[in-house]
């Protein structure tokens, strides 16, 4: 019998990506895509798609990676982007259409979607696979969509501790907001694939072979603007809609939010560069065969 706690977790994930988390990605899509371009390019380099291959983009969101993949695979390619968020898929469909690309999109949970069996050559994902309540079951299910010679190439965040974008704002705001409850490091969420041994175990238990999990680091341009002041303001504003701190601040009164702004500005001053406020981003590139 399915574990009811797991389906509750999946329901929470679905609600978040169709609600506030999804809306935030939608509102800041261009910004996120620019910030994450290096991660898209790295995952597609690891995937090394070749003309005519059939591919699935897991947790495709607004379709940035799906569209790049479609361009690389060229005419006649068969690409499916799958996501649980209706609002994000809506944007992905619009973008593909405006680029004249024939991409299929499906609304569904990649952990149990009825993919054509053994029909795909490639599973890719940019930051879309850390949200399964039961990742071994989900990765096992996705493997069955791959042909005998099929392969996987995905990028996931490493731990919160290694990622400035998550821990620097939290640390700066610590004096003003109640601490986040110590998260279960294996609970579904952006950083749940932080532990390399766990990721290796998930892929192994899900039946993959030739598993490789390599670090990939690329700076995140978090605050932009014409002047250092504008860049700092932008980074502070960003903290209210990206990352774990944004969720803590959502229910705080105005005076707390004002105090946090001051603390964040100070913290971001330490990350000012001529390009803007730059935070460290630390990820894994996962590759494996079916
Ligand atoms: C961090 S966003 C990344 C979106 C996109 N890959 C990108 O890089 O722009 C995570 C995405 O995974 C999707 N997602 C989460 N759990 C999923 C699931 N079980 N099946 C399909 N998509 C899922 C979310 O709706 C969201 O679009």
């Amino acid at each position: 019998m399915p574990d009811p706690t797991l389906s509750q977790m999946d329901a929470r994930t679905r609600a978040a990506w169709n609600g506030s988390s999804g809306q935030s990605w939608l509102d800041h899509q261009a910004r996120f895509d620019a910030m994450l371009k290096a991660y898209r390019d790295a995952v597609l380099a690891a995937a090394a798609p070749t003309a005519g291959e059939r591919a699935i983009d897991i947790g495709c969101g607004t379709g940035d990676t799906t569209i790049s993949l479609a361009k690389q695979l060229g005419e006649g390619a068969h690409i499916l982007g799958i996501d649980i968020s209706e609002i994000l898929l809506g944007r992905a469909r619009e973008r593909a259409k405006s680029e004249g690309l024939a991409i299929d999109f499906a609304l569904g949970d990649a952990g149990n979607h009825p993919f054509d069996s053994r029909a795909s050559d490639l599973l890719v994902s940019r930051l879309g696979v850390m949200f399964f309540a039961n990742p071994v079951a989900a990765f096992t299910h996705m493997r069955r969509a791959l042909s005998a010679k099929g392969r996987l190439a995905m990028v996931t965040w490493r731990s919160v501790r290694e990622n400035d974008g998550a821990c620097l704002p939290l640390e700066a705001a610590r004096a003003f907001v109640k601490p986040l409850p110590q998260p279960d490091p294996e609970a579904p969420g952006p950083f749940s694939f932080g532990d390399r041994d766990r990721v290796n175990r998930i892929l192994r238990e899900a039946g993959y072979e030739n598993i490789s999990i390599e670090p990939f680091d690329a700076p995140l341009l978090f605050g932009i603007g014409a002047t250092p002041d504008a860049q700092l303001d932008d980074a502070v504003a960003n903290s209210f809609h990206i990352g774990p701190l944004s969720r803590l601040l959502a229910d705080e009164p105005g005076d707390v939010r004002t105090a946090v702004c001051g603390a964040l500005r100070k913290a971001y001053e330490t990350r000012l560069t001529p390009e803007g406020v730059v935070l460290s981003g630390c990820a894994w590139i996962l590759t494996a065969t079916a």
Side-chain angles (χ1 to χ4, degrees), residues 13 17 25 59-61 83-85 88 108-110 126-128 131-132:
T13 297
W17 286 108
W25 273 74
C60 64
D83 204 284
I84 43 161
S85 170
L88 296 182
D109 179 345
R126 181 179 74 178
L127 307 174
F131 306 94
F132 300 114

Side-chain angles (χ1 to χ4, degrees), residues 200-278:
N200 189 46
R201 181 172 53 74
I202 290 169
L203 292 177
R204 215 184 45 241
E205 289 181 9
Y208 292 85
E209 292 177 0
N210 302 305
I211 299 166
S212 154
I213 304 168
E214 290 300 322
F216 173 76
D217 297 353
L220 300 168
L221 187 54
F222 196 75
I224 51 177
T227 63
D229 260 348
Q231 293 161 352
L232 288 169
D233 287 344
D234 186 52
V236 170
N238 253 339
S239 314
F240 283 81
H241 53 250
I242 306 177
L245 179 64
S246 63
R247 291 186 280 286
L248 277 184
L249 290 173
D251 300 326
E252 293 294 348
D255 55 334
V256 172
R257 293 163 74 92
T258 308
V260 169
C261 284
L264 287 171
R265 217 164 194 283
K266 261 208 174 102
Y268 290 136
E269 274 169 14
T270 65
R271 299 294 196 277
L272 257 183
T273 73
E275 285 75 45
V277 175
V278 175

Side-chain angles (χ1 to χ4, degrees), residues 23-269:
Q23 192 58 49
S24 178
W25 273 74
L26 204 57
D27 293 345
H28 305 284
Q29 173 233 312
R31 158 67 65 97
F32 285 152
D33 285 342
M35 206 191 293
L36 297 173
K37 179 179 177 301
Y39 294 82
R40 180 196 74 195
D41 293 346
V43 80
L44 291 182
T50 58
E53 285 195 310
R54 294 154 302 174
I56 305 176
D57 183 7
I58 306 289
C60 64
T62 55
D64 194 53
T65 306
T66 339
I67 287 169
S68 281
L69 183 61
K71 288 179 179 167
Q72 289 193 14
L73 284 172
E75 233 167 82
H78 188 268
I79 302 165
L80 172 69
I82 178 162
D83 204 284
I84 43 161
S85 170
E86 202 158 359
I87 52 176
L88 296 182
L89 267 189
R91 176 69 58 83
R93 285 195 176 101
E94 277 166 22
R95 293 175 77 188
K97 191 171 170 205
S98 76
E99 301 243 18
L101 293 165
I103 300 175
D104 287 334
F105 288 102
L107 178 65
D109 179 345
N112 58 35
H113 181 77
F115 296 113
D116 290 343
S117 180
R118 310 260 170 248
S120 281
D121 303 296
L122 192 52
L123 294 176
V124 302
S125 182
R126 181 179 74 178
L127 307 174
V129 293
M130 302 89 82
F131 306 94
F132 300 114
N134 185 339
V136 172
F139 272 82
T140 305
H141 177 79
M142 294 188 290
R143 184 174 53 75
R144 297 194 183 115
L146 283 174
S147 62
K149 289 193 177 152
R151 64 199 188 281
L152 152 168
M154 298 180 171
V155 62
T156 66
W157 292 124
R158 300 213 300 276
S159 64
V160 173
R161 194 171 23 86
E162 290 166 279
N163 275 289
D164 250 7
C167 68
L168 183 127
L170 277 178
E171 192 56 34
R174 207 158 58 141
F176 307 99
V177 290
K178 51 185 177 314
L180 269 183
Q182 242 342 302
D184 169 357
E186 301 203 353
F191 301 101
S192 66
F193 272 40
D195 178 38
R196 185 189 210 141
D197 291 342
R198 174 169 195 252
V199 179
N200 189 46
R201 181 172 53 74
I202 290 169
L203 292 177
R204 215 184 45 241
E205 289 181 9
Y208 292 85
E209 292 177 0
N210 302 305
I211 299 166
S212 154
I213 304 168
E214 290 300 322
F216 173 76
D217 297 353
L220 300 168
L221 187 54
F222 196 75
I224 51 177
T227 63
D229 260 348
Q231 293 161 352
L232 288 169
D233 287 344
D234 186 52
V236 170
N238 253 339
S239 314
F240 283 81
H241 53 250
I242 306 177
L245 179 64
S246 63
R247 291 186 280 286
L248 277 184
L249 290 173
D251 300 326
E252 293 294 348
D255 55 334
V256 172
R257 293 163 74 92
T258 308
V260 169
C261 284
L264 287 171
R265 217 164 194 283
K266 261 208 174 102
Y268 290 136
E269 274 169 14

